[in-house]
Amino acid sequence: MSDVLNINKLTKVYTRRHGDTVAALSDVSVNVQAGKFKVVHGPSGSGKSTLLLAAGGLLHPESGTVAVDGQDIYALSSEKRAGFRARNIGYVFQQFHLIPYLSVLDNVLAPSLAFTNGQVLRRAEELVDFFGLSGRSDHPPSELSTGERQRVALARALLHKPKLLLADEPTGNLDETNAANVINYLRQFAADGGAVLVVTHDSKIDADEKYHIEEGFLVNNSGSPVSGNKNEK
Ligand code: ADP
Ligand code: MG
């Protein structure tokens, strides 16, 4: 099966203000196919958010490639990449990044506020309904529980029916019930044919495939390093 997400030999080095460097990702390779739910877990500071940002087209790697649906996303201009991301990638940020002065419905619509039409509005309303937020539709994020905010962030990520869904610590701020609900939503998205990559410090999340990241190096379940992709061209 072809990869929806193909991350190949990704390297990212940050330079801190006083000049020293941090190798946040070292030669990291991961694939996610349609219908798959994959998880990368690791401790704080191991490179999880860096990996997800790079996978989502939000952080240019030093070397290596990220292909989404066969498109090398960093080969695109930043403008083209932004459009490609909007159409193909749903991203759930760790801190949700909801817009404080917009209602729940408008937050869900935020990716297309500039060009909303009836169809997009109906899709947003369906998502608000699906995530059990109908009673909160007109409320600003400040009036929501953390679990509700997480669901708004998920609904927003799904507005444009992305092929790929990326989620950074999606259960990090939630109690057990809300966490289980969110994982079920992500699993359902994969069951419906999407591709999901989650990064988390929670080692309990079950997945089709699990990886561990430590100091920027990825290993699979068996503890062996994950080297270049088998289907590398
Ligand atoms: P995680 O999400 O697993 O907690 P991150 O990907 O956020 O880890 O960070 C990996 C490493 O890179 C850490 O050592 C972190 O301090 C460092 N780092 C992350 N972002 C930056 C940045 N913008 N500038 C410098 N160092 C950073
Ligand atoms: Mg992080």
Side-chain angles (χ1 to χ4, degrees):
M1 198 189 293
S2 65
D3 296 333
V4 175
L5 175 65
N6 182 300
I7 294 176
N8 198 31
K9 296 187 173 169
L10 218 55
T11 298
K12 176 69 193 177
V13 178
Y14 291 113
T15 305
R16 290 202 168 122
R17 230 174 304 167
H18 37 101
D20 59 344
T21 56
V22 184
L25 296 176
S26 298
D27 227 14
V28 170
S29 300
V30 192
N31 310 316
V32 189
Q33 295 76 31
K36 292 288 180 195
F37 177 81
K38 297 200 180 185
V39 168
V40 173
H41 74 87
S44 176
S46 57
K48 301 183 299 293
S49 293
T50 303
L51 174 62
L52 211 67
L53 289 168
L58 297 165
L59 182 79
H60 215 294
E62 244 70 59
S63 63
T65 54
V66 176
V68 175
D69 207 20
Q71 172 66 55
D72 178 349
I73 57 176
Y74 292 104
L76 298 170
S77 67
S78 54
E79 203 178 7
K80 287 227 168 89
R81 187 163 60 250
F84 183 86
R85 270 178 34 223
R87 288 189 303 278
N88 296 287
I89 306 175
Y91 202 104
V92 182
F93 292 91
Q94 182 170 3
Q95 304 301 336
F96 314 144
H97 289 202
L98 301 180
I99 301 169
Y101 52 84
L102 293 181
S103 68
V104 163
L105 182 64
D106 283 347
N107 264 286
V108 174
L109 277 169
S112 70
L113 268 187
F115 47 93
T116 298
N117 57 36
Q119 204 183 341
V120 179
L121 180 61
R122 272 194 300 283
R123 166 89 179 147
E125 286 169 343
E126 277 167 22
L127 285 164
V128 165
D129 208 30
F130 176 77
F131 284 103
L133 295 160
S134 307
R136 293 279 177 275
S137 194
D138 298 333
H139 293 242
S142 59
E143 293 174 12
L144 304 180
S145 71
T146 314
E148 287 169 336
R149 284 178 209 175
Q150 182 64 275
R151 300 207 295 278
V152 177
L154 262 173
R156 179 183 57 186
L158 296 175
L159 183 67
H160 290 310
K161 302 185 178 172
K163 297 184 179 76
L164 174 65
L165 187 57
L166 303 172
D168 195 341
E169 304 279 8
T171 62
N173 304 296
L174 305 181
D175 61 41
E176 236 167 80
T177 309
N178 277 305
N181 282 339
V182 163
I183 293 302
N184 282 338
Y185 287 129
L186 297 175
R187 228 185 276 291
Q188 189 59 51
F189 178 82
D192 291 341
V196 181
L197 182 64
V198 166
V199 298
T200 179
H201 68 272
D202 182 355
S203 59
K204 295 190 301 293
I205 296 179
D206 209 22
D208 295 323
E209 195 159 359
K210 276 173 128 175
Y211 304 88
H212 185 70
I213 190 167
E214 194 92 44
E215 294 188 3
F217 288 92
L218 199 72
V219 294
N220 66 16
N221 259 345
S222 61
S224 37
V226 183
S227 56
N229 293 323
K230 278 176 275 176
N231 56 352
E232 196 180 343
K233 282 176 209 109

